[in-house]
Amino acid sequence: MTTERSAAFHMADIRNKRPTRRRAVAVGELRAGPVAFPMIVERRLPKGDALTMAEVAGMQGAKMASQLMPLCHPLSLELVRVRCEPVPAHHAIRVYCECAAEARTGVEMEALAGVNAALLTLYDLSKPVEPALAIGGIRLLFKEGGKKGLWLHPDGMREDERAHYKPLDLARLDGVRCAVITLSDRASSGEYEDRSGPELIDGLRKLGAEVTDIDILPDGIEPLAQRLRALAAGGVRLCLCTGGTGLSPRDLTPEALRSVADRRVDGLAELLRSESAKHTPLAWLSRAEAVQVEGMLVLALPGSPRAARQGMDILAPLLAHALAMIEGGTHA
């Protein structure tokens, strides 16, 4: 009989996640009261300048998040910025902590740790003149990055907060006509259900795109080449293909794209390979391709649901900008 048992907790395994730019801002308040508040603002507390010390403590707290919380991943932070804002209306000091890094996991715990450290420091320096202090309203204001993009707290943001931090979401594809084509002999003959195409459709619709054309074609050059010409002539602006990018004799999707291309977009193809390789080294065997056919951007992704989903995450931040460039303009 064994006495061993599995732990009731574990650190999340993030090895297969792709590093992306992450940013988070947290906020909280110290209710200082009418006695301590002016002394904090005027920097007259007996222990010294509480506002400056709180900002230093907030930066230190953000950097020590993984030491304070056992399951928090240690991150190499690239930005920690702490800001203390007096709120005279209710004798409070509002503290913000902004953290950023390129990482496989978010930086929201670092931002929250920074806010808490700053608020506790304000409390410590203020208690000699006012023991009836209160800390509250601590929350994550927003976070950016990762496959989910921008997340805003349901309680919302004030206009001055939004203007100061300028949270960024993925550029939308609202109203853009798109097509999704799956290349597979077996799927086109009905031998198995296509699961890669629906991943791309779902990703496009989350960006607001109108997926007006959905096809499942057999592998080969001419069926796909004909369909791409028709879609471009019909006003479709973006076409995502999945399948046929490997090394088997029937994997001919790149050849089909090149046969109708007005120009190649090599940068996007290389981006797909290099970023996908952060998930799996097998990505370097993919012959992912990107071309322009008249006014339509066409991208060929590998033919597995996981690769399609990852490819959509990689491309999402760039698609609207690429389409704007094809139209001859810039995207805000």
Side-chain angles (χ1 to χ4, degrees), residues 36 44 54 59 65-66 77 117 121 131 143 153-154 176 184 199 203 214 235 238 263 278 282 285 299 319 330:
R44 294 188 291 107
M59 288 188 285
S66 64
L77 292 174
T121 298
K143 62 177 180 176
H153 194 283
V176 174
S184 168
E199 291 286 352
I214 302 170
L238 174 65
R263 63 172 68 174
K278 296 175 182 177
L282 295 178
L285 298 177
L299 297 115
L319 291 175
T330 59

Side-chain angles (χ1 to χ4, degrees), residues 13-96:
D13 185 352
I14 60 173
R15 291 174 296 174
N16 291 326
K17 295 178 70 175
R18 183 174 60 91
T20 62
R21 289 189 174 186
R22 313 273 187 155
R23 185 168 69 122
V25 175
V27 64
E29 284 189 358
L30 173 80
R31 295 291 183 101
V35 175
F37 177 77
M39 298 182 72
I40 296 172
V41 174
E42 296 166 12
R43 305 174 194 265
R44 294 188 291 107
L45 288 172
K47 288 188 177 182
D49 184 348
L51 295 176
T52 299
M53 185 57 66
E55 292 179 2
V56 173
M59 288 188 285
Q60 192 69 12
K63 292 188 290 183
M64 294 180 66
S66 64
Q67 298 178 48
L68 299 170
M69 290 161 279
L71 303 185
C72 185
H73 293 86
L75 296 180
S76 178
L77 292 174
E78 298 171 357
L79 169 72
V80 180
R81 187 175 289 142
V82 181
R83 183 166 64 98
C84 296
E85 178 183 280
V87 186
H90 52 269
H91 300 121
I93 306 295
R94 186 174 295 135
V95 175
Y96 296 90

Side-chain angles (χ1 to χ4, degrees), residues 2-281:
T2 180
T3 59
E4 293 182 4
R5 62 176 182 175
S6 60
F9 51 82
H10 66 279
M11 178 179 279
D13 185 352
I14 60 173
R15 291 174 296 174
N16 291 326
K17 295 178 70 175
R18 183 174 60 91
T20 62
R21 289 189 174 186
R22 313 273 187 155
R23 185 168 69 122
V25 175
V27 64
E29 284 189 358
L30 173 80
R31 295 291 183 101
V35 175
F37 177 77
M39 298 182 72
I40 296 172
V41 174
E42 296 166 12
R43 305 174 194 265
R44 294 188 291 107
L45 288 172
K47 288 188 177 182
D49 184 348
L51 295 176
T52 299
M53 185 57 66
E55 292 179 2
V56 173
M59 288 188 285
Q60 192 69 12
K63 292 188 290 183
M64 294 180 66
S66 64
Q67 298 178 48
L68 299 170
M69 290 161 279
L71 303 185
C72 185
H73 293 86
L75 296 180
S76 178
L77 292 174
E78 298 171 357
L79 169 72
V80 180
R81 187 175 289 142
V82 181
R83 183 166 64 98
C84 296
E85 178 183 280
V87 186
H90 52 269
H91 300 121
I93 306 295
R94 186 174 295 135
V95 175
Y96 296 90
C97 181
E98 177 184 12
C99 294
E102 184 163 341
R104 287 183 164 89
T105 189
V107 292
E108 55 266 36
M109 297 311 299
E110 286 72 16
L112 287 164
V115 162
N116 277 279
L119 289 171
L120 287 171
T121 298
L122 285 172
Y123 193 113
D124 179 47
L125 272 67
S126 303
K127 61 183 172 60
V129 300
E130 176 55 83
L133 302 166
I135 290 174
I138 299 171
R139 63 186 175 100
L140 184 67
L141 204 58
F142 71 88
K143 62 177 180 176
E144 299 170 355
K147 64 181 181 180
K148 295 181 180 179
L150 177 66
W151 178 90
L152 296 170
H153 194 283
D155 290 348
M157 297 175 63
R158 300 197 317 274
E159 286 304 314
D160 62 305
E161 293 171 335
R162 189 178 291 274
H164 185 91
Y165 290 107
K166 299 179 175 61
L168 298 175
D169 201 355
L170 297 175
R172 303 277 298 171
L173 295 174
D174 293 322
V176 174
R177 281 192 60 196
C178 298
V180 171
I181 302 177
T182 299
L183 285 307
S184 168
D185 288 332
R186 292 174 58 211
S188 66
S189 66
E191 291 183 42
Y192 79 95
E193 181 182 1
D194 171 37
R195 295 187 295 124
S196 301
E199 291 286 352
L200 298 179
I201 295 167
D202 182 62
L204 288 169
R205 286 176 175 164
K206 286 179 179 177
L207 294 175
E210 295 181 9
V211 185
T212 57
D213 298 87
I214 302 170
D215 296 287
I216 301 177
L217 302 178
D219 290 306
I221 295 177
E222 200 50 40
L224 176 56
Q226 289 182 3
R227 186 61 181 139
L228 291 176
R229 293 189 192 99
L231 291 170
V236 171
R237 296 181 57 204
L238 174 65
C239 179
L240 300 183
C241 303
T242 173
T245 62
L247 300 178
S248 74
R250 291 286 291 164
D251 286 335
L252 298 171
T253 299
E255 286 76 10
L257 266 62
R258 288 195 287 269
S259 73
V260 295
D262 293 313
R263 63 172 68 174
R264 296 175 66 177
V265 189
D266 294 331
L268 287 178
E270 290 306 312
L271 174 70
L272 277 169
R273 272 186 287 275
S274 62
E275 290 298 304
S276 296
K278 296 175 182 177
H279 293 294
T280 170

